[in-house]
Amino acid sequence: MENMDVFGLLEDADDSVIDRLDALCEPLDSSADKRIFALIQKKSRRKIIINDEEYEDVVEGVDVYVKRPFKKVLAAAAVLLVVAGGAAGGMALLNTVNRHSPTSSIADEDKVTVFSYGRGSDYEKGMLFHKSGLYGSTVEYFLDYETMKETPICAMPNCSHTNSSCLASQMGVNPVIYNDYIYYFKSSYNYKDVPEGHQFYMNSKLYKASLDTSETQVVAEFTDCIPDDWNSDFVLIGSTLWFVGDDKNPKSTEYSEHMHYLPSSDTAGAHFMCSIDLDTGKYTNHGEICDECRTSEYWEQCNGAHIKGVYNGKIQISLQYGIVDLSMENGNREEGEERQRTQDPDERVSFSTYEYDTKTGECVKTDRRFAIDAAEDTFVGCDYNADDDEMYVTHNGEERVFEDSANVFIVGDKLFMCGTENKWIDMNDWSEHDLPDDMGEFVVQVGQYKDSYIFLNSQYQAFKYTEEELRAQ
């Protein structure tokens, strides 16, 4: 029987066919899924996701610039409806900052916004989040807090959000809103043959799309690292976007040279603190965050440095790297799996927290526990040296210990801990409260709007409760 190229058949399929297939791929709703998802979330803090091939956009010699074929007036009206949900104020709702913003008395150039990778970002009037699409793609949505309606960030009429010309499908999992634009990275890396030989290359571009016209343009381009937008938060301070970039630790081997494939090393490599001024487009690589991981002979098997927020004015970075042989090659799989089941995490991996001062450029190792989340005067860290997973929460200089949770959200003076069980802590008196059972699913994002709190679960269902309703549980 002749082999069939299914993806080729679907490439020119009618949008209605794609939509029907997409509907058939809805995730199952079961308690087992919920437990498994919670465990995966917790384990992801200890084990770096090292396979980048699935989401890297590798295109050699071609730059694609997308302009939407509709008039500015129609585009502005469409985006106004899409993003604002018909509410008054229009684009102003996206010119606000999320829950990590400092007080209004601080000058604009010192305002801080943290964009949480993968989970979306919480704004004053809404939430950005993404849904998984076909073939590993993602589609970015906006949830309007007033109407509690979600809409793709796309102004194209009758768009199925499955093609590359759709703005909502281009943004990855961590887009950034600044003024009247939405910013996102697109990167590629690989080996290529040039007159000088078989060489490794990297290319990263920061794009911005107008929220008035959807016109897309390149803001900055650099070739010394790949932004970590799938594992690390982004921090916007004033007009400057701060992020971690990795050099992918390239190694040319016989296999890579023969296959013209990705580097043989499957770690992120060296980690750099980088910034881009969104007003001018100036890109700066401020240097390596630290070289601690390379003190271990096994650092190439597992390592990562990820931004986890801003605490007391400094960017918090979690660092982890392997300190024993974690490979499962050459018949070592059973032994490796047994170690993962029986060894304490700290016997396999080193966990620590660094902090970066954007004003001085100094990056130092702290004595705080492994960073999970940080916001203004609150720091959440885990102690993987303990027999049981414990989470340490410091708020206004006072510390409390809780059982570790898969997802943690700091919203003002409240700490939401979401996993197999959902609860919240009032950090004013450290009282513990249950979250409503009718959320039903694992919570992946929490926001705040006026006197209410908004929750988004893993099935993309949104819920809104006042504090009084939360305390009544």
Side-chain angles (χ1 to χ4, degrees), residues 355-398:
E355 66 178 18
Y356 185 86
D357 189 327
T358 60
K359 297 184 184 302
T360 66
E362 184 179 23
C363 189
V364 298
K365 187 175 183 177
T366 75
D367 58 0
R368 289 191 290 277
R369 294 169 178 85
F370 185 68
I372 302 302
D373 198 7
E376 299 182 7
D377 54 5
T378 304
F379 180 88
V380 181
C382 270
D383 185 2
Y384 291 128
N385 295 314
D387 292 335
D388 298 319
D389 289 348
E390 294 181 327
M391 187 172 69
Y392 291 75
V393 181
T394 302
H395 178 70
N396 288 333
E398 189 175 356

Side-chain angles (χ1 to χ4, degrees), residues 154-181:
C154 172
M156 295 182 66
N158 303 317
C159 182
S160 65
H161 317 300
T162 59
N163 54 64
S164 60
S165 63
C166 172
L167 180 61
S169 66
Q170 293 185 36
M171 301 178 188
V173 299
N174 202 2
V176 171
I177 294 290
Y178 175 67
N179 289 338
D180 292 334
Y181 294 90

